[in-house]
Amino acid sequence: MAKKLWGGRFKKKIDKEFFEFQKSIQYDYKLAKYDIYHSMIHIIALKKAHIISANESERLYSALKGILEKIKNGTFKPSLYSEDIHTEIQNGVEKKIGSLALKLHTLRSRNDQIAFDERFYCKVEARNIENFLSAVISSLESLGNHYKKYSIIGYTHTQRAQRIYFKHYLQTFQFMLTRDKEKLSNFERSLVIYIGAGALKGTSLNRNYYNKAINDFLKFHPVLSKEVKFSENPLDNVSDRDFIIELLTILSTLQMHLSRLAEDFILYSTKEFNFFSLPEEFCTGSSLMPHKKNPDFLELIRGYTGRVYGNLIALLTTMKGLPLTYNRDMQLDKEPLFSSVDIIKEELKILPKFIKKIRLNEDTIEKSLQEGNLYATEIAEQYVRKGTPFKKAHDIVGKAIRQSEKKNPFFTAETLQEAARSLLEKEKQRNRVVHLSK
Ligand code: ARG
């Protein structure tokens, strides 16, 4: 077990199994970079308040920078014996510069650090997901352009409805994903990253010191968002996880959209529909049936929807009824958050490659577009334009469908049009006879 950030008031050693049960390093190491940012701002504030000297601040800062380098180049290996990422970084600084590290945590609480780190993570990841989404949206657009002149069957109730442009069909998904992108961008732009809440009520390290520290820090780290602010209401800052719930909500809707796309593409690639050929590189086979080409990528997207919804429900449930302010229950917000972010990023990373390689089975589509029913609505509309009331036109075309179907279940638009024309003609004659006999 590594050194802990607490312990003075305890006489007994922590139970080993309980320690394992309560530690979070195995997942919160993902916040390492943001936790270093917190420490950097914090020590500048400590220096401004003359709690540590300029020299001490420099030594602390460069130790932190060393760890940050490792995080950035992928060589940071957190010890699984640490309780959490905050402890791990504290111990890492101590390893580098000795007892001066003990000043790092002056007037600070992990409750403030974790809220800062998670807000930062959400902001950065929302931005990353936005970028991934842009690539998916443009891959849909290029597939649509590739088949610009092509039509497919449009469905309602999974029943053949009307002929539609393939490009128009794909645009539906582009619209859904663009809405998700806008939500992410609003979320990410309005998310404020707070610092200085202490455990719950703030500390004597006040607004001025922190504001100056934030300004100094942002000068050297322009990559950071400008929305780092001194805690407005520290009680709220350490209690609030709304921003995670909000992100998980946006991701749930996004996942639902991906799942609908996946379901459509699975359906359209079946022998029964046979509109799409899916790229082989993203399909798998069967160990028993030699002929199988299974759409596993799309099935897994559809399947992961359960996980992504579950992650949102898990956090909503964890937060329900929590007394103010921070409670350890809230540590459990991380796995659902990381899980949804990772799932969505992986899906979005693969999707553009997959979408670009989808091919339309032009012959099957051409044949399926011969079906007369697809044009029934347009035929009714033609009569409306010639003055027939819509209800009447609807009825005539309906009867014409019944008649045509009796002769041949696969009738064409021309057959239907002809049947409707002769029905209407007969009816006109009948009306004339009735009129004359009166
Ligand atoms: N691991 C904790 C979490 O993720 C960090 C905050 C711990 N605070 C505390 N007072 N034990 O929520």
Side-chain angles (χ1 to χ4, degrees), residues 24 28 84 86 110-111 114 241 326 328 330-331 334:
S24 54
D28 68 11
D84 53 28
H86 324 296
R110 287 178 290 172
N111 298 355
I114 198 65
R241 293 294 181 270
Y326 174 83
R328 192 68 183 272
M330 289 154 76
Q331 174 167 298
K334 278 160 226 50

Side-chain angles (χ1 to χ4, degrees), residues 186-197:
N186 290 338
F187 164 79
E188 166 252 294
R189 272 187 286 114
S190 60
L191 182 63
V192 178
I193 303 164
Y194 290 111
I195 188 165

Side-chain angles (χ1 to χ4, degrees), residues 122-224:
C122 286
K123 213 171 173 70
V124 169
E125 292 302 346
R127 215 170 284 174
N128 287 338
I129 295 173
E130 273 175 64
N131 292 335
F132 281 125
L133 268 174
S134 300
V136 177
I137 294 167
S138 54
S139 70
L140 286 163
E141 190 164 1
S142 37
L143 183 65
N145 286 337
H146 186 83
Y147 289 110
K148 212 186 210 146
K149 298 198 179 104
Y150 285 77
S151 295
I152 55 164
I153 298 178
Y155 293 82
T156 65
H157 312 262
T158 333
Q159 303 292 324
R160 294 180 166 198
Q162 289 182 290
R163 180 189 179 119
I164 56 173
Y165 277 115
F166 180 58
K167 189 174 163 58
H168 205 178
Y169 161 81
L170 287 180
Q171 269 174 357
T172 321
F173 294 115
Q174 287 166 234
F175 273 62
M176 292 179 191
L177 300 181
T178 304
R179 285 199 294 275
D180 297 326
K181 212 181 126 195
E182 275 161 15
K183 281 188 225 164
L184 283 167
S185 140
N186 290 338
F187 164 79
E188 166 252 294
R189 272 187 286 114
S190 60
L191 182 63
V192 178
I193 303 164
Y194 290 111
I195 188 165
L200 74 162
K201 65 167 272 189
T203 68
S204 59
L205 203 54
N206 67 30
R207 179 183 297 266
N208 288 342
Y209 300 126
Y210 265 117
N211 280 345
K212 283 186 201 149
I214 292 165
N215 279 340
D216 274 16
F217 183 70
L218 291 179
K219 266 184 236 151
F220 297 104
H221 294 267
V223 279
L224 281 186

